[in-house]
Amino acid sequence: MLTVTLKGLLAHKLRLAMSAFAIVLGVAFVAGTFMFTDTLNRSFTELFRQTAPDVTVRPAGAADTGGFTGADARSVPAELAAALADVPGVARVDGTVLNQSTYLIGRDGKIVGSGGGAPGIGTTFTGGPAADGSPIVTLTSGNPPAADDQFVVDDKSFAAAGFALGDEITLVTTGTEPTVRGTLVGTARFGRTGNTIGATLVLMDPATAQRLYLGGADAYTDIAVTGDGSVDNAALAAAVGAALPAGYEALDDARIAAENQSDLAEGLSFITTFLLVFAAVALVVGTFLILNTFSIVVAQRTRELALLRALGASRRQVTRSVLTEALVVGVVGSTVGLALGLGLAVGLKALFGAIGLDLSSAGLVFQWRTVVVAYAVGVLITLLAAYLPARRAAQVPPVAALRDDVAMPESSLRRRLIAGAVIGAAGAALMVRSLAFDGGLAELGAGVLGVFVGVALISPVIGRPLVALIAWPFPRLFGPVGRLARENARRNPRRTSATASALMIGLALVSAMAVIGQSAKASVDALVASDLRADYVVSNAVGAPFSAAIGQRIAALPGVAEVVPVRYGTAEIDGSDAFLVAADPTGLGRMTSLVVTDGRLDGGGLVAARDRADASGWRVGDTVAVTLPSGVVDLPLTGIVEPNQLAGSLIVPPAVLDHLEPVDSTVYVAAAPGADSGAVTAGIDAVIAELPTVTAKDQNEFAAEQRAPVDQLLAVIYALLGLAVIIAVLGIVNTLALSVIERTREVGLLRAIGLGRRQLRTMVRLESVAIAVLGAVLGVGLGLVFGVSIQRATADDGIRVLSVPVGQLVVFVLLSAVIGVLAAVWPARRAARMDVLRAITAA
């Protein structure tokens, strides 16, 4: 039986190769995702290891700030560094001033690097070692910074900026000096490898760093302590900690690494899940292709299988024979997919490099886990998809070998219809329950999955009338050829529905995303039109905060009536993380149309959105405990307002975030009545002219800026879902090709009675169009339902307006018809080239 199986594989290698291709693409996505995220993980782990000293001393809880909220403004006094030098076991103490929003401007006037993803690091040049003994920074040319406004940059930034030593360079910072100019005196390598993962590094002397980031205070953001080797780092941290006054903490390199690793794991988890979702979609679509291929191949070999039974092969042997073929297909597909995953991982490195995470100097990480998962996924998916055809193959009776009209036994569609109806109804009920009782996206997702499975199961039943409707014009337009194509498409509902279902899944997801994306953009436009009252919005193009001096300079311009700076922060309220908006509530109310439902805006306390207040059970006059890294602040609830996305759900007085550096995240600007808008715009542009990280937008430009990320995300999702559509198209090609082979005698008879080659090609193309449009109609219909459901479920989270891109959905259906024509090119040509006499005599 093994010999027969291997010969069968060789005989049907082209057909099975197309099935293997579906596994190749899915496995490549899985393997590429793991290789890329493992590479990212190792790169950051090495980065953390190369930067952490033996012990770090900092203000307690300082690690809980940074990023879009601005760094912790608390510092460590310089005299404390001197005192720590006397702690037993301490060999060296280096004070460090660190800022992660210092950007280097190149000769072209643009930010060096992408200006996105990775930070711009400004810090002191100390020459201190990391915990592994290697220097954190090594000077590679020039001299270390020894005076005010002398700077050293990392090698990669130096090459990218196009500077030479001795040139004047420009920095953009978040300090009181938004633009800083100085002399480039040297270059340096970061760590042992020089890999900054896209970040730029600017080094300066302590006095300059203290002036720029700490207002000239004789202090540091943290202190790096190096041990003399007499005790381990944990014991050294304990000894240093015992010498610290209240409000400071000492952490060894292991704890610092654990903190960083925790944040990294959270970020990598999102990336991995995001990419694996699309891999799963591709594999599900590939399952339909494999199921169809093996079903057709087994049906074509009915007499062969019956002959094997007649010669003594048992049912189990026949089943094993088919599953062995599937095993070989799965192994080959997984092997090729694993190799292709390497290329995909390289592509992901390049893609993330374009948005700021430069991994060009990092080698790909290839773990055994990736190999195991790749083969497990590829082989199991193939075996599962081939199991039902293998069972049907074993049901062929031996006597069937003596008949010419033997056919594979087909089970009734009744059980499939009942199962599909029950699962689909349960899914629909979950969707309705989720929308009616705010069950959340998880419950809605489970309902969507149920509807998907239900429709896929009942598609052979609903597919027949739909195909008849889709192909109704064929006889009128193409005569007898059109009638033949319509009947051929309806002949085998299981095969037609399985092929169409593969395309249905891809187009359903594409259509749902189209509805959600269009609704998100329409919601942005509606939000700006209804809630934004400011004439201009000033913000940072790279998502980081910017110097508060910018808003102050804009406020002094002629024609500007009011400027309202806004800062963001995070805190803990009632045991959960909370996002804070720090601003003058009265001014913010004028800029964003705040509607007070209870209390007042000028009460000097917390102002909460009505939905947040109701969820927490707050009433005006209640005291809310806000836990910050610097301690607990009790704020009276002085106002409740209608939900407003621009203003946020928790508005606190600016003083609440005094533990953060004095930066702004957004600045709203209102022009004076009757002011010359052109002059005001020119004045604002002049203020930010030397700050390429900061942009000023009017209302229309602000709306366009908010829509842009939606378009970018949709482009990425469409590209990833395109993989599933490609597999579905291969399924149509495979089904048609195998169908032509299966109907060899029928094709020969049609040619013998006068059907021309062109007519035969037209017939096959029309079959393909009917299958493709069936998948498109089901997919677009389901996608529309899913998209509308998700929009309703997220209406309170920002997507308030439902907007259906009707034209786009129609284009999807029309493109599916074109795909059907293209998918039929090879099968139609192969059918037209058949020798008539050989086709008629085919068994």
Side-chain angles (χ1 to χ4, degrees), residues 530-573:
S530 63
D531 291 354
L532 184 61
R533 290 292 175 263
D535 297 303
Y536 303 93
V537 179
V538 180
S539 61
N540 197 323
V542 299
F546 51 92
S547 172
I550 296 172
Q552 297 165 6
R553 294 175 184 178
I554 293 175
L557 292 174
V560 171
E562 185 178 15
V563 168
V564 178
V566 177
R567 301 168 62 188
Y568 300 142
T570 56
E572 186 179 294
I573 297 178

Side-chain angles (χ1 to χ4, degrees), residues 525-778:
D525 290 339
L527 174 69
V528 172
S530 63
D531 291 354
L532 184 61
R533 290 292 175 263
D535 297 303
Y536 303 93
V537 179
V538 180
S539 61
N540 197 323
V542 299
F546 51 92
S547 172
I550 296 172
Q552 297 165 6
R553 294 175 184 178
I554 293 175
L557 292 174
V560 171
E562 185 178 15
V563 168
V564 178
V566 177
R567 301 168 62 188
Y568 300 142
T570 56
E572 186 179 294
I573 297 178
D574 294 336
S576 301
D577 292 337
F579 180 77
L580 305 180
V581 174
D584 169 29
T586 305
L588 188 60
R590 288 191 291 269
M591 298 293 179
T592 61
S593 302
L594 284 178
V595 178
V596 179
T597 60
D598 194 8
R600 50 194 291 187
L601 294 179
D602 58 355
L606 173 67
V607 175
R610 177 175 46 80
D611 53 351
R612 177 59 194 266
D614 291 344
S616 300
W618 296 337
R619 297 290 180 268
V620 170
D622 290 349
T623 298
V624 178
V626 181
T627 303
L628 300 163
S630 56
V632 178
V633 177
D634 291 326
L635 292 176
L637 182 65
T638 56
I640 296 176
V641 297
E642 288 292 341
N644 185 304
Q645 285 180 266
L646 292 175
S649 60
L650 295 170
I651 306 171
V652 298
V656 172
L657 297 186
D658 277 350
H659 67 286
L660 299 178
E661 60 178 329
V663 293
D664 294 331
S665 301
T666 302
V667 172
Y668 293 109
V669 181
D676 183 350
S677 60
V680 174
T681 301
I684 296 175
D685 288 342
V687 170
I688 63 174
E690 295 184 339
L691 303 169
T693 59
V694 180
T695 60
K697 290 82 54 178
D698 61 22
Q699 291 191 358
N700 290 332
E701 292 168 338
F702 178 70
E705 183 184 67
Q706 301 306 302
R707 290 193 302 268
V710 178
D711 289 327
Q712 293 168 359
L713 179 61
L714 284 177
V716 172
I717 291 176
Y718 286 161
L720 295 174
L721 288 177
L723 181 67
V725 175
I726 290 172
I727 295 175
V729 172
L730 287 176
I732 297 175
V733 174
N734 211 24
T735 299
L736 289 174
L738 293 173
S739 179
V740 167
I741 296 172
E742 184 182 34
R743 290 150 44 196
T744 298
R745 178 182 290 183
E746 175 188 324
V747 170
L749 289 173
L750 288 172
R751 293 277 286 112
I753 61 175
L755 190 71
R757 293 179 185 269
R758 179 176 296 179
Q759 290 176 308
L760 182 59
R761 287 196 293 267
T762 300
M763 181 185 75
V764 176
R765 289 193 193 103
L766 292 177
E767 286 182 49
S768 180
V769 169
I771 294 172
V773 174
L774 173 62
V777 169
L778 291 175

Side-chain angles (χ1 to χ4, degrees), residues 102-105 151 169-173 178-181 202 204:
T102 298
Y103 297 97
L104 175 65
I105 308 303
F151 301 106
I169 64 172
T170 302
L171 306 177
V172 174
T173 78
T179 304
V180 179
R181 290 182 174 83
V202 179
M204 60 200 78

Side-chain angles (χ1 to χ4, degrees), residues 93-488:
V93 176
D94 294 292
T96 303
V97 178
L98 176 70
N99 178 276
Q100 297 192 44
S101 297
T102 298
Y103 297 97
L104 175 65
I105 308 303
R107 284 189 178 278
D108 58 1
K110 298 180 180 179
I111 304 169
V112 175
S114 70
I121 299 173
T123 187
T124 47
F125 186 99
T126 65
D132 62 1
S134 62
I136 296 176
V137 173
T138 303
L139 196 69
T140 55
S141 67
N143 301 303
D148 284 352
D149 298 329
Q150 288 187 352
F151 301 106
V152 170
V153 302
D154 66 279
D155 292 326
K156 287 190 174 182
S157 299
F158 177 75
F163 289 125
L165 294 183
D167 285 353
E168 182 183 71
I169 64 172
T170 302
L171 306 177
V172 174
T173 78
T174 55
T176 55
E177 303 175 47
T179 304
V180 179
R181 290 182 174 83
T183 304
L184 181 62
V185 297
T187 62
R189 183 181 68 248
F190 182 71
R192 288 195 301 270
T193 63
N195 183 17
T196 60
I197 316 183
T200 56
L201 182 65
V202 179
L203 302 160
M204 60 200 78
D205 70 294
T208 300
Q210 289 167 342
R211 187 190 87 230
L212 295 180
Y213 308 125
L214 298 178
D218 188 17
Y220 306 106
T221 55
D222 59 67
I223 295 174
V225 178
T226 304
D228 59 10
S230 60
V231 294
D232 62 25
N233 290 345
L236 181 63
V240 171
L244 295 176
Y248 300 95
E249 59 186 4
L251 295 87
D252 63 18
D253 61 308
R255 288 187 59 186
I256 293 291
E259 283 184 355
N260 292 329
Q261 207 66 33
S262 175
D263 295 337
L264 175 62
E266 185 177 345
L268 289 181
S269 175
F270 172 78
I271 295 173
T272 303
T273 302
F274 179 77
L275 294 175
L276 287 181
V277 164
F278 294 98
V281 171
L283 288 168
V284 169
V285 173
T287 301
F288 283 97
L289 171 54
I290 297 166
L291 174 64
N292 234 13
T293 300
F294 275 93
S295 296
I296 298 172
V297 169
V298 167
Q300 292 172 0
R301 296 167 55 198
T302 302
R303 174 177 284 188
E304 174 191 329
L305 296 173
L307 184 60
L308 290 173
R309 292 293 315 282
L311 292 175
S314 65
R315 290 190 175 187
R316 182 174 295 179
Q317 285 178 308
V318 172
T319 301
R320 285 178 182 170
S321 173
V322 177
L323 289 179
T324 300
E325 293 185 16
L327 177 63
V328 173
V329 170
V331 169
V332 172
S334 299
T335 302
V336 177
L338 192 58
L340 192 61
L342 286 167
L344 181 62
V346 172
L348 288 172
K349 281 178 60 178
L351 175 63
F352 276 73
I355 62 174
L357 293 177
D358 181 13
L359 299 172
S360 58
S361 59
L364 283 178
V365 177
F366 190 78
Q367 297 186 358
W368 280 109
R369 185 269 323 265
T370 302
V371 178
V372 172
V373 171
Y375 278 102
V377 168
V379 172
L380 286 177
I381 290 292
T382 309
L383 289 176
L384 288 173
Y387 178 70
L388 289 179
R391 284 197 60 187
R392 284 202 297 270
Q395 295 172 4
V396 178
V399 71
L402 305 176
R403 297 170 53 188
D404 289 335
D405 59 344
V406 61
M408 184 65 62
E410 293 281 0
S411 60
S412 170
L413 290 175
R414 182 179 179 183
R415 273 187 290 180
R416 183 167 176 167
L417 175 62
I418 293 174
V422 170
I423 295 173
L430 272 177
M431 291 176 63
V432 172
R433 184 182 182 284
S434 173
L435 294 174
F437 300 102
D438 193 20
L441 288 177
E443 187 174 336
L444 180 63
V448 167
L449 180 61
V451 173
F452 250 137
V453 174
V455 172
L457 287 173
I458 67 175
S459 57
V461 178
I462 63 176
R464 286 182 69 98
L466 282 176
V467 167
L469 181 63
I470 292 168
W472 172 76
F474 289 178
R476 294 176 177 269
L477 298 174
F478 301 97
V481 173
R483 186 175 296 108
L484 282 171
R486 182 184 63 187
E487 296 308 315
N488 284 335

